[in-house]
Amino acid sequence: MNRLTLRHAALASTAVLIIALTGCSDDNDNFDITSQIGPDPVLPEPSQSLVPDLKVAPVVGWGDNETPDVIEGFTITAYAKDLANPRTVHTLPNGDVLVVQSKAPPGKPVERPKDVIRGFIMSIASGGGGGGKPTNLITLLRDTDRDGTVDERHDILKDLNSPFGLAFVDDTLYVAAADAVLAYDYQLGQNEITTPPQVLTPLPGGPINHHWTKDLALSPDGRFLYASVGSNSNAGERGLEAEKGRAAIWQIDRETGASRVYASGLRNPNGLAFNPESGALWTVVNERDELGPNLVPDYMTSVQDRGFYGWPWSYYGQHVDPRLHPPRPDMVEQAIKPDYALSSHVAALGLAFSMGTAMPQDFANGAFVGNRGSWNRDQFNGYKVLYVPFENGRPTGEPRDVVTGFLNAEEEARGRPVGVGFDGTGALLIADDAGNTVWRVAAEGATALAAPLGTDQMPAGSPVAAEQAAAGDAVEGTAPATGATPPVPAPSTTAPAEDPAVAPTPDAPANTGDGTLAPPTPPQTDVPATAPEGAVQDAAPPAPAPAQP
């Protein structure tokens, strides 16, 4: 047996021992996880142990004719199979669906023994990862007759650097890769993209890139892109220099590429979406680990311009993380409490608002959330898609489990839901990255939308679309737009003091000459610290109109 095999055997034995030890915990047995869902979650006292809580669901995939379970009144079918780690779905204005498939970028440094064990355990939880098929690509799915079945399938982009989020406007497809937002020329109906991209703006990337998934959302007026950037650690243990520009949502001017940190203190935000009733930006956030099996709840929240949400010093407002030294009461005081808890360690990654889709009345105004599922507590949590009803742009009422059954009776993972969206007919789509499938969930007897509704579009008749149309009509020579500029709270003059997310923009990825982009230079850990007032820069305002004679 060679050294590598011995090392893997040792790791496997250690991992099994850890799983066995942590599996003996009964801390969760009497805890009601539903008490952590809603605006005021129950937060037990933090608990730390030498070996964190772990329970891993090995991936077995879907058998023939197997599907997830759906709530009464819905049907579920496989929209596309044999994918390679599908993470997100994005519908274009013509109804074509883009599926982003990706895996983590290589080369992440291993700094502690627990990083080795964690990596091994996560490999079990991730399964085969597409059955050995190439990933890091974008596939177009086309339902030509709008009957809910895919008729054409084309890989339009390949060999990307761990893509995740997309946006489309003005014949341009924006792709959020692991280290940059790229802009591709694209006409609706094309089956491939052959022209090289432009780098709209670099994003914090390697060499660590701990939370590498970067989502995108387009503002309803089409001016800005918003990009999510997760932290480089669990709770700041790599030092704050490694967190420059991270645990944040960036605002990017689409015309100039000028960017700034829009909101921060968000450990791992994903699922960016604008609410069509209020116009506010929302996100789902994966909170920190290793404070016990029932801390900290992941959450869904609206995002305030220049808002600070606590990470790493506090969680859920002013609840102090005891591991951070020295303490920072000044930062804790500034922390905003999130809007809606989803319970601990569910790994919420997908968010889509249902207004204007073909969902039935009880599901016609709310948010669908994809919960990929836990691995770091001793009882499973997540592994489902739930629906949270909204009213007047805010969550209201109890959530409902809509799609379940991703775990089988033996507690093995047949799949894991990640991104959610809607196809051109208005049915719900779910990207299942472990089952390598996109699922389609339709209401029984539903009528397809009269015309496709793109992910980046506000539904006709929604308050946001109506507001923008009225604004367009009021401006002479301006055609009514399809969305509205989201109303946001009046921003403060500076970002929170010494927020680790505040950082200069890293250099653009270099063109290596072979059609790929090199990682940003300098590495994120080498970016010098700067004062907030010198680092947070607004996109340049439009030039004033010339004075009339």
Side-chain angles (χ1 to χ4, degrees):
M1 186 179 290
N2 60 38
R3 181 178 300 176
L4 185 60
T5 305
L6 283 171
R7 179 173 179 269
H8 284 172
L11 287 176
S13 299
T14 305
V16 169
L17 177 60
I18 289 174
I19 294 170
L21 287 172
T22 57
C24 295
S25 169
D26 61 356
D27 292 345
N28 288 335
D29 288 352
N30 298 317
F31 188 84
D32 179 9
I33 59 174
T34 65
S35 68
Q36 287 192 324
I37 299 177
D40 297 300
V42 172
L43 302 175
E45 289 298 313
S47 64
Q48 301 179 62
S49 60
L50 179 63
V51 179
D53 297 274
L54 294 171
K55 188 172 184 180
V56 182
V59 174
V60 297
W62 297 95
D64 293 341
N65 301 317
E66 285 186 338
T67 69
D69 302 321
V70 291
I71 195 172
E72 185 178 357
F74 289 89
T75 62
I76 187 167
T77 56
Y79 196 65
K81 291 184 176 182
D82 300 319
L83 298 164
N85 313 105
R87 307 285 186 169
T88 60
V89 289
H90 193 94
T91 299
L92 298 173
N94 66 348
D96 288 348
V97 174
L98 301 181
V99 184
V100 179
Q101 300 149 82
S102 57
K103 62 181 179 181
K108 180 177 173 181
V110 176
E111 300 168 340
R112 302 162 298 173
K114 77 172 186 177
D115 293 335
V116 179
I117 302 301
R118 181 184 184 276
F120 181 83
I121 291 172
M122 292 304 292
S123 69
I124 297 174
S126 297
K133 295 178 61 178
T135 186
N136 290 331
L137 73 158
I138 298 174
T139 299
L140 182 148
L141 305 176
R142 180 172 295 142
D143 176 7
T144 55
D145 54 6
R146 307 187 72 232
D147 65 350
T149 302
V150 173
D151 302 301
E152 297 180 27
R153 176 167 164 168
H154 308 276
D155 294 337
I156 64 169
L157 284 172
K158 299 179 181 179
D159 301 319
L160 299 172
N161 183 17
S162 302
F164 194 83
L166 299 177
F168 176 81
V169 65
D170 293 341
D171 297 328
T172 304
L173 179 66
Y174 296 95
V175 179
D179 58 358
V181 176
L182 309 177
Y184 291 86
D185 293 333
Y186 180 75
Q187 299 282 334
L188 293 177
Q190 279 183 232
N191 295 335
E192 62 178 346
I193 296 176
T194 57
T195 56
Q198 299 292 319
V199 177
L200 178 65
T201 190
L203 294 173
I208 301 171
N209 220 2
H210 179 65
H211 290 119
W212 58 271
T213 55
K214 294 174 171 67
D215 206 4
L216 277 184
L218 176 72
S219 64
D221 66 356
R223 181 182 176 191
F224 294 110
L225 291 170
Y226 293 82
S228 63
V229 182
S231 68
N232 247 344
S233 62
N234 176 37
E237 64 272 11
R238 287 189 169 98
L240 296 186
E241 280 296 312
E243 304 297 346
K244 294 299 182 182
R246 306 190 73 105
I249 293 173
W250 288 40
Q251 183 191 67
I252 305 163
D253 188 296
R254 200 170 57 81
E255 294 297 323
T256 66
S259 60
R260 68 177 177 95
V261 170
Y262 181 78
S264 59
L266 301 154
R267 178 178 174 269
N268 186 20
N270 281 285
L272 300 183
F274 280 89
N275 182 276
E277 194 168 19
S278 69
L281 177 65
W282 283 72
T283 186
V284 288
V285 178
N286 286 202
E287 254 291 357
R288 67 204 75 194
D289 303 322
E290 300 180 24
L291 287 178
N294 301 309
L295 282 179
V296 174
D298 297 341
Y299 59 84
M300 171 176 67
T301 192
S302 58
V303 183
Q304 298 182 27
D305 188 1
R306 302 182 191 269
F308 175 68
Y309 290 81
W311 189 92
W313 291 284
S314 68
Y315 55 90
Y316 258 83
Q318 283 67 51
H319 292 81
V320 175
D321 189 326
R323 297 168 296 186
L324 272 291
H325 296 284
R328 291 295 305 272
D330 56 325
M331 296 303 297
V332 173
E333 183 180 2
Q334 299 177 65
I336 298 170
K337 180 183 175 182
D339 290 307
Y340 195 91
L342 298 167
S343 75
S344 296
H345 310 303
V346 295
L349 291 170
L351 173 67
F353 290 107
S354 63
M355 180 176 284
T357 68
M359 293 292 101
Q361 184 61 38
D362 288 348
F363 300 86
N365 182 15
F368 286 91
V369 179
N371 290 336
R372 190 171 184 263
S374 67
W375 59 270
N376 48 356
R377 65 194 311 273
D378 46 28
Q379 299 293 327
F380 289 125
N381 197 14
Y383 296 93
K384 61 186 176 184
V385 176
L386 57 82
Y387 173 81
V388 180
F390 270 57
E391 185 176 340
N392 298 322
R394 309 291 301 175
T396 181
E398 296 298 320
R400 301 178 70 178
D401 293 349
V402 177
V403 188
T404 57
F406 290 92
L407 291 178
N408 64 19
E410 289 73 37
E411 295 190 324
E412 299 165 321
R414 299 187 291 185
R416 292 173 181 269
V418 185
V420 292
F422 298 92
D423 72 0
T425 71
L428 178 68
L429 295 180
I430 303 163
D432 175 357
D433 73 341
N436 297 308
T437 301
V438 171
W439 301 103
R440 181 179 186 269
V441 179
E444 294 177 350
T447 301
L449 295 178
L453 177 67
T455 300
D456 303 298
Q457 298 174 289
M458 290 289 105
S462 67
V464 171
E467 180 182 341
Q468 183 66 17
D473 289 342
V475 178
E476 184 178 354
T478 301
T482 58
T485 303
V488 295
S492 59
T493 56
T494 61
E498 298 186 43
D499 181 351
V502 175
T505 302
D507 293 340
N511 193 323
T512 63
D514 60 359
T516 61
L517 296 173
T521 302
Q524 193 60 28
T525 49
D526 294 342
V527 174
T530 59
E533 59 272 16
V536 177
Q537 299 176 358
D538 292 310
Q548 298 296 320

